[in-house]
Amino acid sequence: MVLEATMICIDNSEWMRNGDYAPSRFQAQADAVNLICGAKTQSNPENTVGVLTMAGKGVRVLVTPTSDLGKILACMHGLEIGGEMNLAAGIQVAQLALKHRQNKKQQQRIIVFAGSPVMHDKKALEMIGKKLKKNSVALDIVNFGEDDGGKTEKLEALLAAVNNNDTSHIVHVPAGPNALSDVLISTPIFTGDGEGGSGFAASAAAAAAGGVSGFEFGVDPNLDPELALALRVSMEEERARQEAAAKQAAEEASKEEKGGEEQDATMTERASEGASEADNKKIEIADDDDTSLQQALAMSMDEPTSSQDLQDTEMSDAAAEDPELALALQLSVQDSTKDSSSQADVSKLLADQSFVSSILASLPGVDPNDPSVKEVLASMQNQSEPQQKQDEDKAPKKEEEK
Amino acid sequence: MSAAESANAIQRNQVDLLDFIDWSGVECLNQSSSHSLSNALKQGYREDEGLNLESDADEQLLIYIPFTQVIKLHSIVVMGSEEDGPKTVKLFANREHMGFSNVSDFPPSDTAVLSPDNLKGKPVVLKYVKFQNVRSLTIFIEDNQSGSEITKVQKIALYGSTVETTDMKGLKKIEDH
C-alpha cells in the first residue's frame, strides 16, 4: 500500500528479437510491464507508473508517471526494436521524470529491464547507484536475456550501491519454459517488499508459483480477512480430501496383499476405477464413492455368501454409469463365485434370443440376419433348453437391471 | 522603538520551536538509516552525545521541517564534533520538496558557516527579516569541517517566536444566556 511513483525502463535493443523467452524477449517484456502496471495501480490507486525506452535512437520517455492504465498499455504498441541499450542514460532520465512527478509525497522507484549486455563499467554504475540512494530512489533490476561476462556482477554492484534497507531488488530470470511475467509475479518486485497487501499480486502468485510474501497464502489477514480465511479453508479441505484418498489407497494396497481371489481383484479394479473417476469428478462425488466403495470392500471381507447382495450393489453402481460395463462385471463376478445358479443365468442370457440379437445388432459389422450367426444362436439355444424353465424367473429380473 | 530595544524584545520572546514542528512531514535526504534525524531533533535524543544524525552516500544532508503554525525564526543551534560536524549550512524558508539538484536553483534565505564555537552550542543569529513568515524550513548541510565522507550532527535546535495565530484549543463554545 506504499504510495509510489514508478518509472519502467524497457530495453528495446536488437537483442530483444531473440525468441528464447516465449514468444520473443520484447513481447515477454511487454507482458511483464502490463502486469506490473496493474499490480502497482491495484495496490494503491494513487500510484503512478511511467514508461521509457532505453535503446533505439536514444532514451525516450513514452509516458510520464500516470495512474491511467490505458495510456500505458497504448504506448506499448508500435514500439520498434533496434539500437543498443544505454543503461546509465536510461536511469538518469527516469530519475528526472520522477523528480517532476505531480504528487511529491510519492516514493520514487525505477524498474529496469536489462536484457542486452551492459557497456558501462562498474564504477560508473556505482556512481549512479549512489546518486539514486542519495535522492532516496529505489531501484528494481530484472536481469534477463544476454548474460555475457560481468553483466551480472555489474548489476549486483549497482544494486549494492542503491540499496537502502532492502527497498531495492534484483531478479535474475534465466531463459526457460516459464514466461518472464510468471517468474516475476513471485518476486518482491510484484509483492512490494513482502507486504503481501495486494490482492492482485497475491492471487497471481498463488496461481503461478506460490507467493514469496511473509504471510501464509500471500494475503495479509489484516488487509483482506475474507480472502485469507477462504484460502485457509480451501487448503484444509484439500488436505482432508487428499488424506482420505491416501488412506483409501493404503486400504486397497492391504486388501490386495491379503486377497488374491479374483473377487477381491474385481473389487479393487472397481475401487480403482471409482478412484480415477473421483479424480475427474472432483470433491463432491468423491465422498459418495468413498462410502459405497468402503461398503463394498467391507462386505467382501465378510462372507462370500453375502456376495449376492454385494453384486447387486455393484450392479446398481455400475448400471448407473455403463450398462456394458455392468454386463462385463457381472459375467466376471459370477464366474469367480462359481454359483451354479448364476452360471445358468449367464448361459440363460446368451440363450435368450432377443437379447443376444440386440447385442449383436449393436456390434459393428455383424448382421443378425446372417445365416452363420443364426446357426450359432440355434446351437446355444439347444444347450440351455433344459435349464430354461428353471431360470425363467430370474431372466426378467436381470433384464430389468440392464 | 530603537533598534537595540527591538533586538532585546526579540531575544526575550524567543522560544524553542520544538513544540511547533509537524513531525509527520519531517524528512531528511541522504541520512543513514541507523543514524536518523530524530537523533538530532528530538527532545532527549539531541542531548545525548552518542546519538548523531549521520549522512549516508556522501557528506551532504537535506533536512525538511514543516511547522504546525506560522513562526518567525530568530536563531539556530547546530552542534557536532570538530571534525565531522557541519560547516556550511544553507537555510531555505517556505520551499517544499527540495532535492539536491535544485539547491542551487535559488538563493538561500540565509547561509551560516559554522565555527567550532557554534558546534559547541553557540547559537547562530539569522537574518530575522527573512524569516518572518515561515511555514516550513529546509536545512541544506553542504559540507563538513574536515571534508570527510560522513557528516555527523549531534543536535539541531531552532529558536524563534510564533506569529499571532488562532489557538484552536482556546476556542470556547458561546454559552446561551
Side-chain angles (χ1 to χ4, degrees), chain A residues 95-327:
Chain A
Q95 195 183 347
L96 194 65
L98 284 173
K99 194 168 82 127
H100 293 289
R101 64 197 186 283
Q102 280 181 323
N103 184 356
K104 301 287 180 191
K105 290 206 186 296
Q106 288 167 326
Q107 304 271 349
Q108 302 172 72
R109 179 173 292 271
I110 300 176
I111 302 180
V112 172
F113 284 86
S116 42
V118 175
M119 290 302 140
H120 313 278
D121 60 338
K122 213 156 82 155
K123 270 267 173 209
L125 290 176
E126 277 176 2
M127 293 288 292
I128 293 172
K130 270 181 104 175
K131 197 162 158 235
L132 287 176
K133 180 151 87 153
K134 192 173 165 191
N135 286 291
S136 127
V137 178
L139 179 66
D140 289 332
I141 307 172
V142 180
N143 180 13
F144 72 111
E146 294 297 312
D147 187 22
D148 65 351
K151 181 187 175 195
T152 310
E153 206 189 313
K154 285 179 189 173
L155 292 176
E156 293 275 0
L158 174 60
L159 183 85
V162 178
N163 204 352
N164 183 11
N165 271 352
D166 279 336
T167 51
S168 303
H169 317 94
I170 184 168
V171 181
H172 306 277
V173 186
N178 299 328
L180 184 64
S181 347
D182 291 339
V183 175
L184 284 179
I185 279 174
S186 56
T187 61
I189 292 178
F190 252 88
T191 61
D193 300 335
E195 300 170 337
S198 163
F200 178 95
S203 56
V212 189
S213 65
F215 297 103
E216 199 183 19
F217 310 124
V219 177
D220 180 358
N222 295 329
L223 287 167
D224 202 344
E226 290 107 1
L227 182 57
L229 182 66
L231 285 168
R232 200 184 315 130
V233 167
S234 70
M235 179 71 91
E236 281 169 14
E237 271 180 23
E238 179 66 27
R239 217 177 284 145
R241 191 178 74 78
Q242 280 178 359
E243 274 169 26
K247 210 195 317 177
Q248 196 171 57
E251 276 185 34
E252 287 163 27
S254 63
K255 294 288 187 298
E256 276 183 3
E257 286 168 13
K258 282 181 198 171
E261 288 183 15
E262 286 182 46
Q263 191 173 20
D264 288 334
T266 316
M267 293 308 134
T268 54
E269 275 176 28
R270 182 72 188 88
S272 63
E273 250 181 289
S276 63
E277 278 171 327
D279 286 343
N280 293 338
K281 291 178 188 173
K282 303 279 164 151
I283 305 170
E284 311 88 69
I285 305 183
D287 290 337
D288 295 350
D289 276 346
D290 286 353
T291 45
S292 60
L293 283 166
Q294 282 184 4
Q295 231 176 15
L297 285 166
M299 284 203 272
S300 75
M301 287 311 294
D302 291 334
E303 298 291 315
T305 52
S306 62
S307 60
Q308 185 69 26
D309 300 345
L310 173 59
Q311 283 162 25
D312 285 343
T313 317
E314 206 188 313
M315 285 317 127
S316 54
D317 278 351
E321 279 141 344
D322 196 352
E324 287 174 62
L325 174 63
L327 176 60

Side-chain angles (χ1 to χ4, degrees), chain B residues 121-161:
Chain B
K122 183 172 162 212
V124 178
V125 179
L126 304 168
K127 285 185 196 142
Y128 197 48
V129 291
K130 299 264 189 182
F131 294 99
Q132 287 296 303
N133 208 351
V134 178
R135 270 228 142 255
S136 73
L137 182 68
T138 305
I139 304 174
F140 174 48
I141 298 177
E142 200 168 356
D143 50 23
N144 55 38
Q145 297 283 333
S146 56
S148 67
E149 275 290 307
I150 300 180
T151 303
K152 297 184 188 172
V153 185
Q154 194 230 309
K155 175 178 173 181
I156 297 176
L158 306 168
Y159 293 98
S161 58

Side-chain angles (χ1 to χ4, degrees), chain B residues 97-120:
Chain B
H97 303 113
M98 286 184 70
F100 287 104
S101 44
N102 56 359
V103 284
S104 16
D105 288 352
F106 29 79
S109 307
D110 203 356
T111 310
V113 179
L114 300 176
S115 63
D117 280 344
N118 293 124
L119 289 173
K120 290 202 176 57

Side-chain angles (χ1 to χ4, degrees), chain B residues 8 29 50 68 103-104 133 153 156 164 171 176:
Chain B
N8 284 340
L29 287 184
T68 53
V103 284
S104 16
N133 208 351
V153 185
I156 297 176
E164 288 291 328
L171 278 177
D176 289 330

Side-chain angles (χ1 to χ4, degrees), chain B residues 50-99:
Chain B
L51 292 175
N52 291 337
L53 161 67
E54 288 183 16
S55 66
D56 197 1
D58 63 9
E59 74 280 4
Q60 295 183 340
L61 282 164
L62 194 62
I63 302 165
Y64 173 72
I65 301 172
F67 296 102
T68 53
Q69 54 172 285
V70 181
I71 51 116
K72 301 184 206 235
L73 190 63
H74 178 264
S75 54
I76 63 165
V77 168
V78 179
M79 282 177 65
S81 69
E82 268 204 47
E83 307 88 36
D84 302 328
K87 192 164 89 179
T88 312
V89 176
K90 290 186 177 163
L91 295 157
F92 300 84
N94 296 330
R95 296 261 183 216
E96 316 249 299
H97 303 113
M98 286 184 70

